[in-house]
Amino acid sequence: HRSDIIDANWRSRTHRPAYFIVRDKQRKKIILSVRGTWSPRDLLTDLCATVEDYEICKNKGLVSEPSSFLQRRRRRNNGKKRSKGKGASPRAHQGMVESAREIARVTTDTIKNELEWNPDYSLVIGGHSLGGGISAVLGSMWKDTFPGLTVLAYGCPCTGPLDTEPTNNKAIISIVAENDPFSCLSIGHLADVSTAVSRLCDNTDMRDDILR
């Protein structure tokens, strides 16, 4: 019903995709849905594929402002080994992290109010493709803010490392269709393809054998 639409923003921009928030009265859920890649602005978010650290929210779901580019670069290039396992810092695709921060900034108060008015409801975050990745990061950021939340990530791309959030978060359910290439694609794969293409350009005999 139209009255169950709490908030909606259908226009995306870089680092803030379209989204909507609705009530599911039958299942007693507040649902935040994040749209996947649809516009050129969404594509720019996709292409911000470096790795970004982020923090789990401790206060009112508000996400700390991202560090400056130079600070992030310094952290990435300081040559120190990152810890692995339980104590590893949450890390993910930069475009998805920035988008999750922005969605958190504009939706946190609305969702908190809805859950306070409906104490028997819980939060579900969902999205497809880019939206699935952003939902996974956002669910990780909010795991202490909205206890009991669930994330449904459909066709979620490779979002972060295996040893830390959001990949090892048990509240995130990833649904992948058979033979979906984008869910298995990572920046490492793109680097491998680039290297292979460069070698084919240099080795004409190998290229001719493949194309034969």
Side-chain angles (χ1 to χ4, degrees):
H1 194 277
R2 187 177 291 273
S3 63
D4 292 322
I5 300 174
I6 302 165
D7 186 24
N9 179 63
W10 304 116
R11 291 185 138 192
S12 62
R13 63 179 189 231
T14 305
H15 295 156
R16 202 202 62 191
Y19 66 88
F20 64 82
I21 305 171
V22 296
R23 290 182 210 93
D24 183 339
K25 292 179 178 176
Q26 182 177 355
R27 296 177 179 83
K28 295 188 175 181
K29 304 292 183 184
I30 301 299
I31 300 171
L32 167 61
S33 182
V34 184
R35 192 174 71 186
T37 303
W38 182 261
S39 72
R41 292 180 177 86
D42 296 326
L43 186 57
L44 290 175
T45 301
D46 285 319
L47 293 175
C48 295
T50 55
V51 178
E52 171 87 356
D53 291 352
Y54 65 91
E55 295 181 0
I56 306 300
C57 304
K58 301 297 182 185
N59 261 330
K60 298 183 179 179
L62 296 177
V63 182
S64 58
E65 290 298 316
S67 304
S68 70
F69 172 78
L70 289 177
Q71 288 173 321
R72 292 198 302 267
R73 191 173 207 176
R74 193 177 300 120
R75 283 204 305 269
R76 287 198 294 267
N77 296 332
N78 63 9
K80 294 181 180 178
K81 279 191 174 181
R82 292 183 176 273
S83 59
K84 291 188 176 182
K86 191 173 181 181
S89 299
R91 307 172 66 206
H93 178 288
Q94 186 214 345
M96 296 177 191
V97 170
E98 300 285 3
S99 298
R101 285 183 175 128
E102 180 62 15
I103 289 180
R105 186 184 68 79
V106 297
T107 65
T108 296
D109 287 344
T110 299
I111 293 171
K112 280 177 65 66
N113 289 338
E114 283 295 321
L115 292 174
E116 286 173 3
W117 293 333
N118 301 282
D120 53 342
Y121 281 44
S122 59
L123 175 63
V124 175
I125 308 171
H128 171 257
S129 189
L130 172 64
I134 295 168
S135 297
V137 175
L138 187 56
S140 171
M141 289 178 173
W142 275 351
K143 71 175 186 176
D144 294 334
T145 304
F146 300 115
L149 70 78
T150 300
V151 176
L152 301 176
Y154 295 90
C156 184
C158 298
T159 305
L162 290 173
D163 60 351
T164 186
E165 297 269 356
T167 309
N168 61 11
N169 188 313
K170 303 299 184 184
I172 299 169
I173 301 170
S174 180
I175 301 101
V176 179
E178 187 177 6
N179 300 322
D180 180 356
F182 296 104
S183 295
C184 303
L185 191 65
S186 71
I187 191 169
H189 292 127
L190 296 177
D192 290 343
V193 170
S194 176
T195 300
V197 170
S198 297
R199 288 178 179 173
L200 288 177
C201 291
D202 294 336
N203 190 328
T204 56
D205 292 336
M206 184 188 297
R207 185 182 64 210
D208 292 340
D209 284 342
I210 292 172
L211 296 177
R212 196 168 288 161

